[in-house]
Amino acid sequence: MTSVLSLSSVLLALKLCSGEWCYQSQFSCNDTCKEPNHWHKIFPKCGGQSQSPINIVTRKVQHDSNLTGFIFEGHEDGVTITVENHGHSAHFALPSSVRLCGGGLPTTYKAVQFHLHWGEEQQPGSEHSVDGERYPMELHIVHIKEQYSSLQEAESDTTGIAALAFFFEVTSEPNKHFDRVIEALGRVRYQGNSSTILGFRLADIILPASKLSYYRYSGSLTTPGCDQIVVWTVFHQTLPISQKQLALVTRQLLYRTEKPMTGVFRPMQNLNRRIVFTSVKSDGVRALPGLITLFLCFFCAFGQQR
Ligand SMILES: *[C@@H]1O[C@H](CO)[C@@H](O)[C@H](O)[C@H]1NC(C)=O
Ligand SMILES: [Zn+2]
């Protein structure tokens, strides 16, 4: 009996000491989990050259005319979604009827889940940043190529996953559409808890495709195993949330260790040899020659008609 007990306590200790990864905010003397700077020791891919998130330096982004608008499918349909606390984050599972194509992507992708990254109280919590500025919260909507049935299948495809990222900005008015998401998070306080939202429409929480422009780069999952298989889309447009709503999001959930789930983001990774592209010409002067050509053509056609 004693030996069985000691064996199980050894096994428990082994489990706590080794394989677990965590965010910086979780790390403490009693929890020897691997924090982000050490993830690569148990998950070698986390030490790769094309990791996410990154800081986007707008002065260095390059316009790419292949980055056309997205076509969203199923965003207007009311669907049943299940949210589950996974111990590091809470994922809202999306049905594969939610899809996207266009946006300079090689094929159609289907949605898998969405989740949020947030900070410690009153601190920024986005994963990506723009010109060094971090936002209070970031939404990730994860999609995989249509032909795959799981993330594992996408593992060896450098464009296997398409992730959409939206930053939140604090507004004085609450974002009413977001209340159901916040309430659902409140129902999954502990790891393993799950809850459902009926009649959820993605169109209620994000913008229509026609209103979006974006940055594009090749990167990785921002949690272990950090597979470098993600086509990242970081939108220029932000989503609104009130300070009160934001505080609710950050206070409701607990980590696997039952510590408050705050500071849920991976630190910035090096860009290395990568280039960040943008779907719009941000520079007004560079857009001018195109405009002049357009006018000339217009007058040309107009003149000929008469
Ligand atoms: C949530 O998880 C905790 C801890 O496992 C459990 O005690 C509780 O009953 C769960 N709550 C619900 C609503 O499932
Ligand atoms: Zn994420």
Side-chain angles (χ1 to χ4, degrees):
M1 184 66 190
T2 349
S3 64
V4 171
L5 267 183
S6 59
L7 179 64
S8 61
S9 54
V10 165
L11 286 177
L12 181 69
L14 273 178
K15 187 165 179 270
L16 288 175
C17 289
S18 57
E20 289 289 348
W21 65 269
C22 60
Y23 288 110
Q24 192 79 54
S25 58
Q26 260 173 293
F27 187 73
S28 72
C29 296
N30 310 334
D31 190 352
T32 53
C33 56
K34 290 278 186 293
E35 45 104 359
N37 293 331
H38 298 286
W39 286 356
H40 66 95
K41 291 178 184 166
I42 25 178
F43 305 97
K45 287 172 193 162
C46 299
Q49 295 296 299
S50 300
Q51 291 290 293
S52 296
I54 55 160
N55 173 45
I56 296 166
V57 179
T58 56
R59 189 171 50 81
K60 291 189 178 168
V61 300
Q62 291 182 16
H63 173 246
D64 180 352
S65 56
N66 295 319
L67 299 180
T68 52
F70 281 98
I71 299 159
F72 293 151
E73 252 179 64
H75 280 222
E76 304 275 342
D77 304 338
V79 293
T80 299
I81 59 170
T82 301
V83 56
E84 184 178 346
N85 181 336
H86 289 279
H88 300 288
S89 173
H91 289 178
F92 294 80
L94 288 167
S96 55
S97 57
V98 176
R99 305 148 82 79
L100 61 80
C101 61
L105 294 171
T107 181
T108 302
Y109 289 71
K110 58 187 180 190
V112 181
Q113 47 98 346
F114 72 86
H115 60 267
L116 298 157
H117 296 273
W118 60 81
E120 304 201 43
E121 204 147 330
Q122 306 279 338
Q123 298 292 317
S126 68
E127 293 210 300
H128 291 90
S129 64
V130 178
D131 293 330
E133 186 191 352
R134 299 204 17 244
Y135 290 81
M137 190 162 80
E138 185 171 329
L139 167 68
H140 287 164
I141 312 175
V142 181
H143 300 72
I144 60 172
K145 265 186 195 167
E146 200 175 26
Q147 69 257 38
Y148 299 135
S149 54
S150 69
L151 290 182
Q152 283 69 36
E153 271 183 58
E155 216 169 51
S156 55
D157 181 345
T158 54
T159 58
I161 292 180
L164 307 184
F166 283 92
F167 295 123
F168 284 81
E169 257 181 323
V170 172
T171 48
S172 49
E173 287 297 307
N175 177 349
K176 294 230 160 57
H177 290 301
F178 216 69
D179 280 341
R180 296 181 74 197
V181 170
I182 298 172
E183 284 159 19
L185 287 175
R187 297 193 294 266
V188 296
R189 185 167 174 77
Y190 297 92
Q191 177 177 25
N193 287 166
S194 67
S195 181
T196 54
I197 306 182
L198 304 175
F200 175 84
R201 293 168 75 244
L202 207 48
D204 287 339
I205 63 163
I206 68 167
L207 296 162
S210 61
K211 293 200 173 153
L212 296 169
S213 55
Y214 56 91
Y215 300 110
R216 164 65 46 78
Y217 79 98
S218 300
S220 72
L221 301 174
T222 66
T223 52
C226 310
D227 301 71
Q228 297 181 159
I229 56 171
V230 184
V231 182
W232 276 99
T233 300
V234 179
F235 290 103
H236 297 162
Q237 291 77 17
T238 60
L239 304 175
I241 190 163
S242 71
Q243 193 65 57
K244 209 172 157 185
Q245 288 180 308
L246 189 63
L248 271 178
V249 172
T250 60
R251 277 179 204 151
Q252 297 187 116
L253 293 134
L254 299 177
Y255 280 127
R256 163 183 65 83
T257 52
E258 303 200 358
K259 273 181 76 173
M261 193 187 281
T262 59
V264 194
F265 58 85
R266 185 187 194 191
M268 293 305 150
Q269 303 297 303
N270 292 330
L271 186 61
N272 299 321
R273 293 167 169 273
R274 291 173 289 175
I275 297 172
V276 179
F277 297 95
T278 178
S279 68
V280 289
K281 287 186 173 142
S282 53
D283 195 327
V285 180
R286 266 187 287 154
L288 208 56
L291 266 184
I292 291 170
T293 313
L294 192 71
F295 268 101
L296 284 176
C297 291
F298 178 79
F299 280 113
C300 233
F302 191 67
Q304 267 175 7
Q305 263 183 2
R306 285 218 291 185

